[in-house]
Amino acid sequence: QVHLVESGGGLVQAGESLRLSCVVSGSIFWVYDMDWYRQAPENKRELVATITRGKDTNYSDSVKGRFTISRDNAKNTVYLQMNSLKPEDTGVYYCHYRYRSSDYWGQGTQVTVSS
């Protein structure tokens, strides 16, 4: 059975940093492109960052230059380093991958940035 477990969220002040982790079990981690999404209250879930199996990365314009996605295939883990956090970065952050038309999600980790 596939499990994605996020951790690392918390309450920080604007300008501070957090590092999120997502451990994937029950699947062949290294073959998947991995994503981080976030969802603020009353908003749709939005794609924040993607890392391919070849470690190419892509970011939404709102986080480009501040966030860094990375992966450690030996640990079945994807990370999201978030620097210079802003109040608008507040939300629940989810890791995700898609395989054969199926979507796999973690339970999410809350990030709250105070001004």
Side-chain angles (χ1 to χ4, degrees):
Q1 190 172 2
V2 175
H3 290 284
L4 291 80
V5 180
E6 300 99 334
S7 62
L11 171 63
V12 297
Q13 293 188 334
E16 294 183 341
S17 299
L18 282 174
R19 187 194 197 204
L20 306 183
S21 301
C22 173
V23 179
V24 181
S25 60
S27 67
I28 307 172
F29 174 78
W30 66 271
V31 304
Y32 307 125
D33 297 345
M34 296 296 302
D35 312 301
W36 282 98
Y37 282 75
R38 69 184 179 192
Q39 187 168 19
E42 302 181 359
N43 286 1
K44 293 190 302 183
R45 196 169 293 190
E46 63 168 336
L47 178 62
V48 173
T50 297
I51 185 165
T52 68
R53 56 185 288 180
K55 299 189 177 180
D56 293 323
T57 59
N58 196 33
Y59 301 92
S60 67
D61 288 342
S62 61
V63 308
K64 199 172 295 183
R66 299 187 298 121
F67 290 11
T68 303
I69 188 171
S70 62
R71 65 191 298 161
D72 185 336
N73 290 338
K75 296 182 178 180
N76 283 13
T77 302
V78 60
Y79 303 98
L80 187 67
Q81 176 67 42
M82 305 186 295
N83 298 330
S84 302
L85 282 160
K86 304 176 181 180
E88 51 264 44
D89 294 318
T90 294
V92 180
Y93 284 69
Y94 300 90
C95 64
H96 163 269
Y97 72 91
R98 186 173 177 84
Y99 180 64
R100 292 184 177 178
S101 301
S102 294
D103 292 291
Y104 298 88
W105 298 92
Q107 83 290 346
T109 185
Q110 176 70 44
V111 172
T112 304
V113 185
S114 63
S115 57

